[in-house]
Amino acid sequence: MENSTGKKERIKSIDKALGLLEFLSVNEQETGITEISKNLHLGLSTVHRILFTLKSRGYVIQNLNTKKYRLGIKLFTLGCAVQSTKRLVEITKPYLKQLSQSTNETANLAILEGKEVIYLDTIGSPEILRTEIMAGTRTPAHCAALGKALLAFISDGEFKSLYKKDEPLSSLTSKSISSLEELKKHLKKVKEQGYAVDREEYKIGINCISVPIFGRNGEAIAAISITGPASRFTIDEMGKVKDKLMTISKEISNQF
Amino acid sequence: MENSTGKKERIKSIDKALGLLEFLSVNEQETGITEISKNLHLGLSTVHRILFTLKSRGYVIQNLNTKKYRLGIKLFTLGCAVQSTKRLVEITKPYLKQLSQSTNETANLAILEGKEVIYLDTIGSPEILRTEIMAGTRTPAHCAALGKALLAFISDGEFKSLYKKDEPLSSLTSKSISSLEELKKHLKKVKEQGYAVDREEYKIGINCISVPIFGRNGEAIAAISITGPASRFTIDEMGKVKDKLMTISKEISNQF
DNA sequence: AAAGGAGTTTCCGTAATATGGAAAATAGCA
DNA sequence: TGCTATTTTCCATATTACGGAAACTCCTTT
């Protein structure tokens, strides 16, 4: 009965193990076998054996007191080795540092994955009131300057395959873009001006301005941004850093 | 024939998949199926099926031109979610930033895993001549100030299980500690003074000073350090930052 | 253009493997 | 001490992953 649908076969035990890792990554706390078993609909012994395998290689760690499991450092090491992000972070870091220093705000680097933006690196503002984002964070692309800067430069075909007709857009704040039409219009403008602005669309009280970074072939491979509290990082302030951001973006793009 | 030795059984396909990921992480470049198959002694179709499974979940990416594979962003995301490192980085980052700014050198955070030190976070010096280390890097513990700061505070039992009698120590430079006796003596001193110094033991031209961070139970859970070019970051300079480092270490330790 | 070659992908029968249920062990709590 | 909730181990069985070889793709060479 294998291959009954057109789909190619994946190795089930690997699939389960990866699902388990992902479950642990979402579940912030240590998790026991029973709980995992219930959530993933796998037998107790199956979960146990998978965890044993993962544990013996350092992908999960077992708290010997509670017997529960959490992600292990091996994953951190592997994550740091991902070549594509490594190169991006390496090249971009000095520029982010410079931006953060000259603006006193937080500077970020992110890429687009599907309809989500993934933060690869951030240099936090030295101010006490600051916007903190952790590397690795994912957010809906249409609610963030970074996401809009990236979405604006993907092909029409790609865009259509991501956002199906009349699909409702999740709103993170009352100011988030909520309809596909609105998004399209907005992205057109972003493409024209070369940068994207987010005025409390991601979170009330936070503004952000972002420009994409282009690869050899003209594709937008990542984006950098500056975020700050709306009270301090006003539209005016964003206007002031706009040119600097665009200059830096070109400098970075030249290295790809 | 299962379980013939006392060892518990791991799930082989998962084991293979993890081995494959690790192979890709060491192999900096994109790698083809044949090469992987040869190195890991697995059949071509096996490698292909494993990669297909990993690919469909974003753990590896296939370059459609060359057909070759590399690690995918999913691993980066997972790596960022590892709870233990996340917390450490979060709490330590502002202190590292402060240290780097006040010294103009690079500040690092690392943990001990086995006989290796893993860098969790680094804030680079603004100087042009600077020591750059990437997060995720692993180095032999006995050759780095960070490692020595951590080794000095593990229990005798742990130390003995790590460094078997008469085991030769790898030397990264001519100044590296090369005998177990020497290391023991050195660590005793580190424990007394509460900080570790590395004078070109890790790399010629680089000096480093490090102090451990202690958890609730008094265990050394991580270490922070400042590194710089030996020409600029001299013994004198290290002496000057010593106290600041130790104060900060206490402040951080109080949060665990 | 056509043939050759190196690599990837698919197919298939078979042997090995992972599976889940249940028992055993362990820990936590009343 | 006994009871409950979990984790861990064991086992027979059916499912699953396996590797060899064929098919296919994409370059390179002549």
Side-chain angles (χ1 to χ4, degrees):
Chain A
M1 72 173 220
E2 64 269 346
N3 228 348
S4 55
T5 69
K7 307 239 169 191
K8 275 184 274 181
E9 289 286 330
R10 299 188 285 187
I11 294 174
K12 308 209 172 164
S13 50
I14 295 178
D15 227 28
K16 285 171 195 159
L18 300 180
L20 205 159
L21 287 176
E22 287 162 29
F23 177 76
L24 284 180
S25 86
V26 175
N27 231 17
E28 296 275 309
Q29 2 219 350
E30 291 185 341
T31 315
I33 286 186
T34 324
E35 193 179 340
I36 297 172
S37 159
K38 276 175 196 156
N39 277 280
L40 302 183
H41 307 289
L42 297 170
L44 275 175
S45 46
T46 304
V47 173
H48 181 259
R49 245 171 306 115
I50 293 174
L51 281 168
F52 178 78
T53 310
L54 292 171
K55 184 173 75 172
S56 70
R57 276 177 169 272
Y59 288 75
V60 301
I61 293 172
Q62 185 174 29
N63 180 328
L64 292 176
N65 294 323
T66 62
K67 298 277 176 185
K68 297 189 170 183
Y69 296 85
R70 60 179 200 274
L71 296 182
I73 318 105
K74 185 63 144 286
L75 276 173
F76 176 83
T77 315
L78 271 189
C80 291
V82 176
Q83 297 91 346
S84 47
T85 70
K86 206 170 149 186
R87 175 116 192 284
L88 261 172
V89 170
E90 231 163 20
I91 292 180
T92 318
K93 195 162 215 124
Y95 295 100
L96 290 185
K97 222 185 287 178
Q98 183 192 323
L99 276 173
S100 164
Q101 248 157 38
S102 64
T103 61
N104 258 325
E105 302 293 352
T106 300
N108 311 291
L109 168 70
I111 55 167
L112 186 67
E113 201 199 37
K115 293 192 282 187
E116 283 186 324
V117 155
I118 304 175
Y119 287 83
L120 297 190
D121 197 14
T122 92
I123 309 279
S125 154
E127 302 278 341
I128 300 159
L129 173 64
R130 63 169 179 263
T131 51
E132 284 268 19
I133 302 136
M134 285 278 290
T137 306
R138 290 163 174 265
T139 57
H142 69 278
C143 301
L146 281 163
K148 296 193 290 183
L150 288 163
L151 286 175
F153 290 91
I154 61 175
S155 71
D156 286 0
E158 271 184 274
F159 185 86
K160 268 178 197 142
S161 71
L162 286 178
Y163 295 94
K164 309 291 179 198
K165 233 182 182 169
D166 296 327
E167 184 177 1
L169 297 176
S170 60
S171 285
L172 290 184
T173 77
S174 58
K175 303 194 181 181
S176 297
I177 294 177
S178 55
S179 84
L180 202 51
E181 271 318 305
E182 200 185 339
L183 180 61
K184 277 183 192 164
K185 219 165 97 184
H186 192 108
L187 292 181
K188 204 178 154 194
K189 199 173 140 208
V190 169
K191 196 167 184 179
E192 280 165 21
Q193 37 182 39
Y195 64 92
V197 167
D198 146 18
R199 298 173 63 179
E200 309 190 275
E201 294 163 34
Y202 170 58
K203 201 157 197 166
I204 291 296
I206 294 181
N207 284 344
C208 185
I209 179 167
S210 169
V211 295
I213 290 166
F214 298 98
R216 281 240 151 275
N217 53 8
E219 200 191 358
I221 52 176
I224 55 175
S225 76
I226 303 177
T227 3
S231 55
R232 187 174 63 214
F233 196 50
T234 57
I235 317 292
D236 276 7
E237 290 299 321
M238 288 199 269
K240 285 184 201 159
V241 300
K242 190 194 75 182
D243 288 335
K244 181 178 279 174
L245 259 181
M246 293 185 71
T247 312
I248 285 185
S249 153
K250 281 202 195 82
E251 279 184 50
I252 299 177
S253 298
N254 284 337
Q255 296 173 55
F256 283 94
Chain B
M1 72 174 216
E2 64 270 346
N3 230 350
S4 55
T5 67
K7 308 239 170 193
K8 275 185 274 181
E9 288 285 331
R10 298 189 286 186
I11 295 174
K12 309 211 172 162
S13 49
I14 295 178
D15 228 28
K16 285 172 197 160
L18 301 180
L20 205 159
L21 287 176
E22 287 162 30
F23 177 76
L24 285 180
S25 85
V26 175
N27 230 17
E28 296 274 307
Q29 0 219 351
E30 292 185 341
T31 315
I33 285 185
T34 323
E35 194 179 342
I36 298 172
S37 158
K38 276 176 196 155
N39 276 280
L40 302 182
H41 307 288
L42 297 170
L44 275 176
S45 45
T46 304
V47 173
H48 181 258
R49 244 170 305 116
I50 293 174
L51 282 169
F52 178 78
T53 309
L54 292 171
K55 184 173 75 170
S56 70
R57 277 178 167 272
Y59 288 76
V60 300
I61 293 173
Q62 184 173 30
N63 180 329
L64 293 175
N65 293 322
T66 62
K67 298 276 174 185
K68 296 189 171 182
Y69 296 83
R70 61 178 200 275
L71 297 182
I73 319 104
K74 184 65 142 284
L75 276 172
F76 176 82
T77 316
L78 271 189
C80 290
V82 177
Q83 297 91 346
S84 47
T85 69
K86 207 171 147 184
R87 174 118 193 283
L88 262 173
V89 170
E90 230 163 22
I91 292 180
T92 317
K93 194 161 216 126
Y95 295 100
L96 290 185
K97 221 186 288 178
Q98 182 192 324
L99 276 172
S100 164
Q101 247 157 40
S102 65
T103 61
N104 258 326
E105 302 293 353
T106 300
N108 312 291
L109 169 71
I111 55 167
L112 187 67
E113 201 199 37
K115 292 191 283 188
E116 282 186 324
V117 155
I118 304 176
Y119 287 84
L120 296 189
D121 197 15
T122 93
I123 309 278
S125 154
E127 301 277 339
I128 299 160
L129 173 63
R130 64 171 179 262
T131 51
E132 285 267 19
I133 302 136
M134 284 279 290
T137 306
R138 290 162 174 267
T139 57
H142 69 277
C143 300
L146 281 163
K148 295 193 291 184
L150 288 164
L151 286 175
F153 292 91
I154 61 175
S155 72
D156 285 2
E158 272 183 273
F159 185 87
K160 267 177 197 144
S161 71
L162 286 179
Y163 295 93
K164 309 290 178 199
K165 232 181 183 170
D166 295 328
E167 183 177 2
L169 296 175
S170 60
S171 285
L172 291 184
T173 76
S174 58
K175 304 194 180 180
S176 298
I177 294 175
S178 53
S179 85
L180 202 50
E181 270 318 305
E182 200 185 338
L183 180 60
K184 276 184 193 165
K185 220 167 96 185
H186 191 107
L187 292 181
K188 202 176 155 195
K189 198 174 140 207
V190 168
K191 195 167 183 178
E192 280 165 22
Q193 31 179 47
Y195 64 91
V197 168
D198 145 20
R199 297 173 65 177
E200 308 190 276
E201 294 163 35
Y202 169 59
K203 199 157 198 167
I204 290 296
I206 294 181
N207 284 344
C208 185
I209 179 167
S210 170
V211 295
I213 289 165
F214 298 98
R216 280 241 152 274
N217 54 7
E219 198 193 0
I221 52 176
I224 55 176
S225 76
I226 302 177
T227 5
S231 54
R232 188 175 63 214
F233 195 51
T234 57
I235 317 294
D236 276 7
E237 290 299 321
M238 287 199 269
K240 285 182 201 163
V241 300
K242 189 195 74 183
D243 289 334
K244 181 178 280 174
L245 258 180
M246 294 184 72
T247 313
I248 284 185
S249 153
K250 281 202 196 83
E251 279 184 51
I252 299 177
S253 298
N254 284 336
Q255 296 173 54
F256 283 93

